[in-house]
Amino acid sequence: MKTLRTSGGSEPAAQARPGGPARPATLLIDSPIALARLRRSLWLPHVTTPGTRIVLPADAFGAVAKRAEPRVNTLYASCGCKAGALAVLLTAAGLAAWWGLGDMALSGRVLLVDLGVLLGAALAGKLAGIAVNRMRLVLLLWRLERGFARAPTA
């Protein structure tokens, strides 16, 4: 597994084996500078290797690393699928109620419009899920960064 040390200068990409897919990368966040760089990079569009993992070493973060690392990785890998599914479910329930309460005759046009509404809800829910989880990750990294600032230096 290729480790990307974000505390150093350049950050090499995950190395691909000849003829094979790129291996998952590990982002080692071991300094306040690396943490701030990761937090700022989340606002930019980026492509990550599937399975990229963020490691918060215990020597840099103490006991907080054990609790924060799984949460950071979950938020970093979030794709918004749960929010998209919830939006589709709620929209489908709303459309079913609309059909049940209304005096509408089901036609091809009505079904196509409703299908468009469901697709729009799926897209809007997915984008909202990604945005909310990205905000949560930025806030969590900001809190970790503030903890670095308060930590006594030896």
Side-chain angles (χ1 to χ4, degrees):
M1 189 177 298
K2 182 74 174 170
T3 300
L4 303 179
R5 292 191 65 89
T6 59
S7 59
S10 63
E11 298 176 10
Q15 299 295 317
R17 287 175 268 138
R23 288 182 271 171
T26 299
L27 300 175
L28 181 64
I29 308 299
D30 58 355
S31 71
I33 294 169
L35 192 57
R37 187 181 300 157
L38 174 64
R39 186 175 49 81
R40 283 191 305 269
S41 75
L42 294 174
W43 295 108
L44 304 172
H46 67 286
V47 177
T48 59
T49 305
T52 297
R53 202 173 78 107
I54 298 173
V55 176
L56 305 173
D59 59 339
F61 289 94
V64 174
K66 192 173 190 176
R67 291 189 322 264
E69 187 176 315
R71 182 77 176 141
V72 167
N73 281 300
T74 299
L75 291 172
Y76 186 75
S78 174
C79 64
C81 291
K82 289 180 183 177
L86 180 64
V88 167
L89 182 67
L90 293 175
T91 303
L95 287 173
W98 180 266
W99 288 337
L101 296 175
D103 230 0
M104 297 174 49
L106 290 180
S107 67
R109 182 171 184 223
V110 170
L111 290 176
L112 283 176
V113 168
D114 291 345
L115 181 62
V117 169
L118 285 173
L119 288 174
L123 182 61
K126 187 166 179 71
L127 291 176
I130 290 171
V132 166
N133 285 330
R134 190 53 51 115
M135 259 323 250
R136 287 179 180 164
L137 179 58
V138 166
L139 291 172
L140 177 59
L141 293 175
W142 181 69
R143 280 182 279 174
L144 289 172
E145 192 177 343
R146 284 183 47 207
F148 252 131
R150 290 186 198 152
T153 56

